[in-house]
Amino acid sequence: MRFPTLTAVLALSAVALSACGQGGEQKSGQAAAPKGAAQGQVWAAGSSTVFPFATRVAETVARTTGGAPAKVESLGTGGGFKLFCGGAGKGFPDVANASRAMKKSEWDACQANGVTDILEIKIGYDGIVIANAKAAPTFNITREQIYKALAAEVPQGSGFTTNTVANWSNVAPGLPNERIVAYGPPPTSGTRDAFVELAMEKGAEKVPAMAALKTSDEDAFKQRSHVLRKDGAWIDAGENDNVIVQTLEKTPGAVGVFGYSFLENNLDKVKAAKIEGVEPTLQNISNGSYPLSRSLYIYVKKANLGVTPGLREFVDGFLSEAAVGRGGYLIQRGLIPLHTEELAAQREAVKALTPMTAPK
């Protein structure tokens, strides 16, 4: 089974938004409800990568329970955490969808705003792919080459200089003689966060001057390795990964950065690069051999379980046998499932309502 069309996904989201509006969502200027209070229906916000999985869970839970579907918003992981951690009352989501783990700064914001006892639930895996049009040249690229192509500044002599390399073939022999143009997610996206950590940062570690900088000043190293070019080589394309796919069809010389699940849905339009000789496949992402593999999460306000109608069913839906068992509906949609032992551990943690501890 393939993902629904973008139109269908948006339509589902619109139905959920409309239905949830009956639950008394906080309006501008209204004070937040007391701690532990919740809206009349489930509200989940965050990652665009998790969005199609969350909408499918919302649809299935609504169909099986007879309740209205959860309201699911695609704001990017960072945007979802900002809203989720904004408060514990009625005007804030029950669930944050995330394509990376919560940061310490986000945890601190939650605690400061009364959002305590948070459940961190790993729901599966995804890989970040670098893809281009089917008719375009095929890439086999390293993380070091990705860093050299897309970093805003690169080492030169005893300092740094603005990166002006024009073509991929200028980065390394054997890469296509195509102008460097990469469409990817904005800074609010968990996919963007994971890309700079897994590709840019790990690639920078292979450059001697950057490796030395990491040893002497790790904060400066992260800053240098995480900043992407702003001269047109990297283009923020918004939170909708389907838009990136459509752009690649129209500009076959460009590459796009997005989640594996969107690749699976568009194999008739785009193809993925190998990263250090490894293809992004379900098996390679699941076993960690693909260099740009990552985990996907949902974060849940424990206080809202039993208060927000349908929240427990929504949470359980992500780890249900129907969703992630053999042939499960989330696997059919493109989610790479947890290993058997991990799945059992996550189910036990949810059953026990074990809150997460502060991130490092």
Side-chain angles (χ1 to χ4, degrees):
M1 181 185 294
R2 293 194 179 277
F3 291 165
T5 64
L6 178 58
T7 300
V9 170
L10 291 175
L12 173 60
S13 182
V15 170
L17 283 166
S18 175
C20 191
Q22 301 169 14
E25 182 183 342
Q26 179 187 356
K27 291 178 169 48
S28 178
Q30 254 184 339
K35 181 178 179 180
Q39 44 273 342
Q41 303 172 242
V42 177
W43 181 9
S47 166
S48 62
T49 300
V50 178
F51 174 77
F53 306 130
T55 55
R56 184 68 168 86
V57 172
E59 178 186 35
T60 301
V61 169
R63 186 170 60 248
T64 55
T65 65
K71 168 184 174 180
V72 182
E73 293 183 305
S74 178
L75 306 175
T77 295
F81 277 135
K82 184 176 181 179
L83 198 58
F84 177 83
C85 293
K90 195 172 183 180
F92 305 95
D94 305 287
V95 179
N97 300 327
S99 56
R100 58 161 172 79
M102 179 182 280
K103 297 178 181 178
K104 179 62 163 56
S105 59
E106 293 161 339
W107 163 272
D108 290 341
C110 272
Q111 303 305 301
N113 291 321
V115 181
T116 57
D117 289 339
I118 302 167
L119 307 182
E120 178 185 64
I121 304 167
K122 185 188 290 188
I123 63 168
Y125 297 103
D126 187 35
I128 298 170
V129 302
I130 297 177
N132 58 358
K134 293 278 287 186
T138 299
F139 278 76
N140 185 355
I141 194 168
T142 68
R143 286 172 287 181
E144 179 181 356
Q145 292 163 356
I146 294 170
Y147 163 76
K148 288 180 176 179
L150 297 176
E153 294 184 335
V154 291
Q156 183 177 35
S158 60
F160 287 82
T161 187
T162 300
N163 190 356
T164 59
V165 64
N167 291 353
W168 288 103
S169 56
N170 299 137
V171 175
L175 291 179
N177 186 27
E178 297 281 352
R179 188 163 67 92
I180 298 172
V181 178
Y183 291 89
T188 53
S189 169
T191 300
R192 166 76 161 260
D193 291 336
F195 176 72
V196 295
E197 291 174 10
L198 297 175
M200 299 292 291
E201 186 177 319
K202 294 300 182 183
E205 290 175 356
K206 303 295 184 181
V207 178
M210 290 297 290
L213 179 62
K214 182 177 182 180
T215 300
S216 63
D217 189 340
E218 187 166 359
D219 288 341
F221 166 79
K222 285 182 177 292
Q223 174 64 24
R224 294 283 187 181
S225 61
H226 286 200
V227 179
L228 297 166
R229 292 171 67 170
K230 298 179 175 66
D231 60 353
W234 174 273
I235 300 171
D236 288 345
E239 293 287 358
N240 190 337
D241 291 343
N242 284 290
V243 173
I244 299 178
V245 171
Q246 294 164 13
T247 301
L248 296 182
E249 287 189 282
K250 298 173 184 176
T251 54
V255 301
V257 176
F258 47 82
Y260 169 81
S261 55
F262 286 89
L263 172 72
E264 278 285 280
N265 190 45
N266 292 282
L267 286 174
D268 58 328
K269 303 180 183 72
V270 295
K271 60 185 176 182
K274 290 182 179 179
I275 307 296
E276 291 163 16
V278 182
E279 295 181 7
T281 64
L282 188 150
Q283 181 177 0
N284 291 340
I285 293 170
S286 179
N287 64 26
S289 62
Y290 180 66
L292 305 187
S293 302
R294 60 176 173 171
S295 300
L296 302 179
Y297 302 87
I298 60 171
Y299 290 80
V300 183
K301 293 172 180 172
K302 180 180 176 180
N304 290 11
L305 291 167
V307 178
T308 301
L311 179 57
R312 186 61 195 245
E313 291 81 0
F314 181 72
V315 172
D316 289 343
F318 282 91
L319 301 179
S320 68
E321 195 65 19
V324 295
R326 184 180 295 274
Y329 64 79
L330 291 187
I331 295 173
Q332 291 178 10
R333 180 159 283 193
L335 181 70
I336 297 172
L338 298 173
H339 303 295
T340 302
E341 298 80 6
E342 283 186 300
L343 178 59
Q346 290 298 306
R347 285 172 171 169
E348 283 300 313
V350 172
K351 183 178 180 181
L353 300 181
T354 307
M356 67 180 289
T357 56
K360 295 181 179 179

